[in-house]
Structures are given as C-alpha cells and as structure tokens.
Amino acid sequence: MRDLIIEKMYEWSKKPYQKFFKKNEPWNITPKELILLPNDSLGFHMGCFLLKYNFEMQPKLEDHDVIHVLTNTGVSVIEEIGMQYYLLGNGKKSAYLFMVIFVGTLFYPNRLKTFYNYYKRGQNAHQFYHLAFDKMLYKSLREIQFIFNIR
C-alpha cells in the first residue's frame, strides 16, 4: 500500500515538475536509437535499461534514468528513494529531492540503514549529478563510473 501511495504521488508531481522546474531541453533520441550506440557506451546501457523496464523517455527527466544506469540502481520504490539519498550524498539539493527523502523516510523508517548506505555511496563518489549526460552518451559507462568513483 505504501508503494502504491508513493507511486501515485510521483505520477501527480511529475508533470508540474517537468513544466515548472526543469529548464533543460528534452533529448532528441529514442531508446531504440540508444541501443544502436557502442555496446560499452552510457547510451547503449541507458537504452537497455529503458527497454528492460518498458519505460518511455520522459522529456526533460532523462537524467533520472541515466543516474539509475550509472549507479546501478533498480526501480523499486525503496531503490528510487535510495537513489535520492545517493544524490543527496553526492551534493544535489532540490525541493523534489527533499520531498522524496522526507516522504520516503516517513513511510519506510525501517529502511533507514539502507537509505544511509545509499547516502554514503553518494558521498564517496565524485560529484557527477550535474553533468550534461546527453553529451556523454557515446562515452564508456565503466570509464564514467571509474572516473567519478560511482559504485
């Protein structure tokens, strides 16, 4: 039930967040085009991620999916909350991030240790959340993870 509530909150908040808070241009590429990139590239792995979960690219929210790929984070509600903790540890601060962390912590106090582990992983990585990922799609996923100490 908690998962369903959080998923509904995401669906309700996604469109206003895209419209009013995200100023970047949407990427002009599809998952099927991404998987045509070199097999070791960030773009290829992002395309595989999107196809694996049958996701559509969300305009202006593409970076979110890249973070999933870079950090090897799944898509369960707990993992989504954990990824926000990871980003907080990596230095990101936004109203949306704090909202997810607040609600996630409130709904899942028994997962604080898990969330703390995500936070520590984010702290241990070099700051990367702000990069222009659309310019890095041809770069090697492993190389990016190595350079930024993303685990």
Short mmCIF file of all heavy atoms in Angstrom, two decimals, residues 126-150:
data_model
loop_
_atom_site.label_atom_id
_atom_site.label_comp_id
_atom_site.label_asym_id
_atom_site.label_seq_id
_atom_site.Cartn_x
_atom_site.Cartn_y
_atom_site.Cartn_z
N HIS A 126 32.67 11.08 -6.69
CA HIS A 126 32.94 12.48 -7.05
C HIS A 126 31.64 13.06 -7.60
O HIS A 126 30.86 12.36 -8.26
CB HIS A 126 34.05 12.57 -8.09
CG HIS A 126 35.32 11.92 -7.66
ND1 HIS A 126 36.04 12.32 -6.55
CD2 HIS A 126 35.99 10.87 -8.18
CE1 HIS A 126 37.10 11.55 -6.41
NE2 HIS A 126 37.09 10.65 -7.38
N GLN A 127 31.42 14.32 -7.35
CA GLN A 127 30.16 14.95 -7.75
C GLN A 127 29.93 14.80 -9.26
O GLN A 127 30.78 15.17 -10.06
CB GLN A 127 30.17 16.42 -7.35
CG GLN A 127 28.81 17.03 -7.29
CD GLN A 127 28.87 18.41 -6.70
OE1 GLN A 127 29.28 19.33 -7.37
NE2 GLN A 127 28.47 18.54 -5.44
N PHE A 128 28.81 14.24 -9.62
CA PHE A 128 28.51 13.99 -11.04
C PHE A 128 27.08 14.30 -11.43
O PHE A 128 26.75 14.33 -12.62
CB PHE A 128 28.81 12.52 -11.40
CG PHE A 128 27.87 11.53 -10.78
CD1 PHE A 128 26.73 11.13 -11.44
CD2 PHE A 128 28.10 11.03 -9.51
CE1 PHE A 128 25.84 10.23 -10.87
CE2 PHE A 128 27.24 10.12 -8.93
CZ PHE A 128 26.11 9.72 -9.61
N TYR A 129 26.20 14.54 -10.48
CA TYR A 129 24.77 14.66 -10.77
C TYR A 129 24.46 15.80 -11.74
O TYR A 129 23.45 15.79 -12.42
CB TYR A 129 23.95 14.83 -9.49
CG TYR A 129 24.20 16.15 -8.80
CD1 TYR A 129 23.48 17.28 -9.16
CD2 TYR A 129 25.18 16.28 -7.82
CE1 TYR A 129 23.72 18.50 -8.55
CE2 TYR A 129 25.42 17.48 -7.21
CZ TYR A 129 24.70 18.59 -7.59
OH TYR A 129 24.95 19.80 -6.99
N HIS A 130 25.33 16.78 -11.85
CA HIS A 130 25.09 17.99 -12.64
C HIS A 130 25.64 17.93 -14.06
O HIS A 130 25.50 18.87 -14.82
CB HIS A 130 25.72 19.18 -11.92
CG HIS A 130 27.20 19.04 -11.80
ND1 HIS A 130 27.78 18.13 -10.93
CD2 HIS A 130 28.22 19.63 -12.45
CE1 HIS A 130 29.10 18.20 -11.05
NE2 HIS A 130 29.39 19.08 -11.97
N LEU A 131 26.26 16.81 -14.43
CA LEU A 131 26.90 16.70 -15.74
C LEU A 131 25.87 16.71 -16.88
O LEU A 131 24.72 16.36 -16.69
CB LEU A 131 27.72 15.41 -15.82
CG LEU A 131 28.87 15.29 -14.83
CD1 LEU A 131 29.49 13.90 -14.90
CD2 LEU A 131 29.93 16.36 -15.10
N ALA A 132 26.34 17.11 -18.05
CA ALA A 132 25.50 17.10 -19.26
C ALA A 132 25.54 15.69 -19.85
O ALA A 132 26.32 15.41 -20.76
CB ALA A 132 26.00 18.14 -20.25
N PHE A 133 24.72 14.82 -19.34
CA PHE A 133 24.76 13.42 -19.73
C PHE A 133 24.43 13.20 -21.21
O PHE A 133 24.91 12.24 -21.81
CB PHE A 133 23.81 12.59 -18.86
CG PHE A 133 24.19 12.58 -17.42
CD1 PHE A 133 23.37 13.14 -16.46
CD2 PHE A 133 25.39 12.01 -17.00
CE1 PHE A 133 23.73 13.12 -15.12
CE2 PHE A 133 25.75 11.99 -15.67
CZ PHE A 133 24.92 12.55 -14.72
N ASP A 134 23.62 14.08 -21.76
CA ASP A 134 23.29 13.94 -23.19
C ASP A 134 24.53 14.08 -24.07
O ASP A 134 24.56 13.57 -25.18
CB ASP A 134 22.21 14.93 -23.60
CG ASP A 134 22.58 16.38 -23.38
OD1 ASP A 134 23.34 16.68 -22.42
OD2 ASP A 134 22.11 17.24 -24.15
N LYS A 135 25.56 14.72 -23.56
CA LYS A 135 26.82 14.88 -24.30
C LYS A 135 27.77 13.71 -24.04
O LYS A 135 28.83 13.63 -24.63
CB LYS A 135 27.52 16.18 -23.90
CG LYS A 135 26.66 17.43 -23.95
CD LYS A 135 26.40 17.88 -25.35
CE LYS A 135 25.76 19.24 -25.40
NZ LYS A 135 24.33 19.23 -25.45
N MET A 136 27.38 12.81 -23.16
CA MET A 136 28.25 11.70 -22.75
C MET A 136 27.74 10.34 -23.21
O MET A 136 28.27 9.32 -22.80
CB MET A 136 28.38 11.71 -21.22
CG MET A 136 28.94 13.00 -20.66
SD MET A 136 28.85 13.06 -18.86
CE MET A 136 30.10 11.85 -18.45
N LEU A 137 26.73 10.31 -24.04
CA LEU A 137 26.09 9.05 -24.41
C LEU A 137 27.03 8.08 -25.12
O LEU A 137 26.85 6.87 -25.03
CB LEU A 137 24.85 9.31 -25.26
CG LEU A 137 23.71 10.04 -24.54
CD1 LEU A 137 22.58 10.34 -25.50
CD2 LEU A 137 23.22 9.24 -23.35
N TYR A 138 28.04 8.60 -25.81
CA TYR A 138 28.99 7.73 -26.52
C TYR A 138 30.15 7.29 -25.62
O TYR A 138 30.92 6.42 -26.00
CB TYR A 138 29.56 8.46 -27.74
CG TYR A 138 28.60 8.53 -28.89
CD1 TYR A 138 27.70 9.59 -29.01
CD2 TYR A 138 28.56 7.54 -29.86
CE1 TYR A 138 26.81 9.66 -30.07
CE2 TYR A 138 27.66 7.58 -30.91
CZ TYR A 138 26.80 8.65 -31.01
OH TYR A 138 25.91 8.71 -32.04
N LYS A 139 30.27 7.88 -24.45
CA LYS A 139 31.36 7.54 -23.54
C LYS A 139 31.12 6.17 -22.90
O LYS A 139 29.98 5.76 -22.68
CB LYS A 139 31.49 8.59 -22.42
CG LYS A 139 31.77 9.99 -22.91
CD LYS A 139 33.22 10.14 -23.21
CE LYS A 139 33.51 11.58 -23.57
NZ LYS A 139 34.79 11.72 -24.21
N SER A 140 32.20 5.52 -22.55
CA SER A 140 32.12 4.21 -21.89
C SER A 140 31.49 4.34 -20.51
O SER A 140 31.93 5.17 -19.70
CB SER A 140 33.52 3.62 -21.77
OG SER A 140 33.54 2.57 -20.83
N LEU A 141 30.48 3.53 -20.25
CA LEU A 141 29.82 3.52 -18.93
C LEU A 141 30.84 3.24 -17.84
O LEU A 141 30.90 3.95 -16.83
CB LEU A 141 28.70 2.48 -18.90
CG LEU A 141 28.08 2.20 -17.53
CD1 LEU A 141 27.37 3.44 -17.00
CD2 LEU A 141 27.12 1.03 -17.62
N ARG A 142 31.64 2.21 -18.02
CA ARG A 142 32.63 1.82 -17.00
C ARG A 142 33.65 2.93 -16.75
O ARG A 142 34.05 3.17 -15.62
CB ARG A 142 33.35 0.53 -17.40
CG ARG A 142 32.42 -0.64 -17.63
CD ARG A 142 31.82 -1.16 -16.32
NE ARG A 142 30.82 -2.17 -16.61
CZ ARG A 142 29.56 -2.10 -16.24
NH1 ARG A 142 29.12 -1.09 -15.54
NH2 ARG A 142 28.71 -3.05 -16.54
N GLU A 143 34.03 3.61 -17.82
CA GLU A 143 35.00 4.70 -17.68
C GLU A 143 34.41 5.86 -16.86
O GLU A 143 35.07 6.40 -15.97
CB GLU A 143 35.42 5.19 -19.06
CG GLU A 143 36.56 6.19 -19.04
CD GLU A 143 36.99 6.57 -20.45
OE1 GLU A 143 36.96 5.71 -21.35
OE2 GLU A 143 37.36 7.74 -20.63
N ILE A 144 33.17 6.20 -17.14
CA ILE A 144 32.50 7.27 -16.37
C ILE A 144 32.40 6.86 -14.91
O ILE A 144 32.71 7.66 -14.01
CB ILE A 144 31.10 7.57 -16.94
CG1 ILE A 144 31.19 8.10 -18.37
CG2 ILE A 144 30.35 8.56 -16.05
CD1 ILE A 144 29.86 8.12 -19.11
N GLN A 145 31.98 5.63 -14.66
CA GLN A 145 31.87 5.15 -13.28
C GLN A 145 33.23 5.16 -12.58
O GLN A 145 33.32 5.52 -11.41
CB GLN A 145 31.28 3.73 -13.26
CG GLN A 145 29.83 3.69 -13.65
CD GLN A 145 29.31 2.28 -13.85
OE1 GLN A 145 30.02 1.40 -14.38
NE2 GLN A 145 28.05 2.06 -13.47
N PHE A 146 34.28 4.81 -13.29
CA PHE A 146 35.62 4.80 -12.71
C PHE A 146 36.08 6.22 -12.40
O PHE A 146 36.54 6.51 -11.30
CB PHE A 146 36.62 4.10 -13.66
CG PHE A 146 38.02 4.12 -13.15
CD1 PHE A 146 38.42 3.24 -12.16
CD2 PHE A 146 38.95 5.02 -13.65
CE1 PHE A 146 39.71 3.26 -11.66
CE2 PHE A 146 40.24 5.05 -13.17
CZ PHE A 146 40.62 4.17 -12.18
N ILE A 147 35.95 7.12 -13.37
CA ILE A 147 36.42 8.50 -13.20
C ILE A 147 35.73 9.17 -12.02
O ILE A 147 36.35 9.88 -11.23
CB ILE A 147 36.21 9.30 -14.49
CG1 ILE A 147 37.19 8.81 -15.57
CG2 ILE A 147 36.37 10.80 -14.26
CD1 ILE A 147 36.91 9.33 -16.97
N PHE A 148 34.44 8.93 -11.86
CA PHE A 148 33.67 9.59 -10.81
C PHE A 148 33.49 8.72 -9.56
O PHE A 148 32.76 9.11 -8.64
CB PHE A 148 32.31 10.06 -11.35
CG PHE A 148 32.45 11.23 -12.30
CD1 PHE A 148 32.53 11.00 -13.67
CD2 PHE A 148 32.57 12.51 -11.83
CE1 PHE A 148 32.69 12.06 -14.56
CE2 PHE A 148 32.73 13.58 -12.69
CZ PHE A 148 32.80 13.36 -14.06
N ASN A 149 34.16 7.58 -9.55
CA ASN A 149 34.11 6.68 -8.38
C ASN A 149 32.67 6.32 -8.02
O ASN A 149 32.28 6.32 -6.84
CB ASN A 149 34.84 7.28 -7.18
CG ASN A 149 35.15 6.26 -6.13
OD1 ASN A 149 35.45 5.11 -6.43
ND2 ASN A 149 35.06 6.66 -4.87
N ILE A 150 31.88 6.03 -9.04
CA ILE A 150 30.46 5.71 -8.84
C ILE A 150 30.35 4.21 -8.57
O ILE A 150 30.73 3.39 -9.39
CB ILE A 150 29.62 6.10 -10.09
CG1 ILE A 150 29.74 7.59 -10.35
CG2 ILE A 150 28.16 5.68 -9.89
CD1 ILE A 150 29.15 8.03 -11.67
#
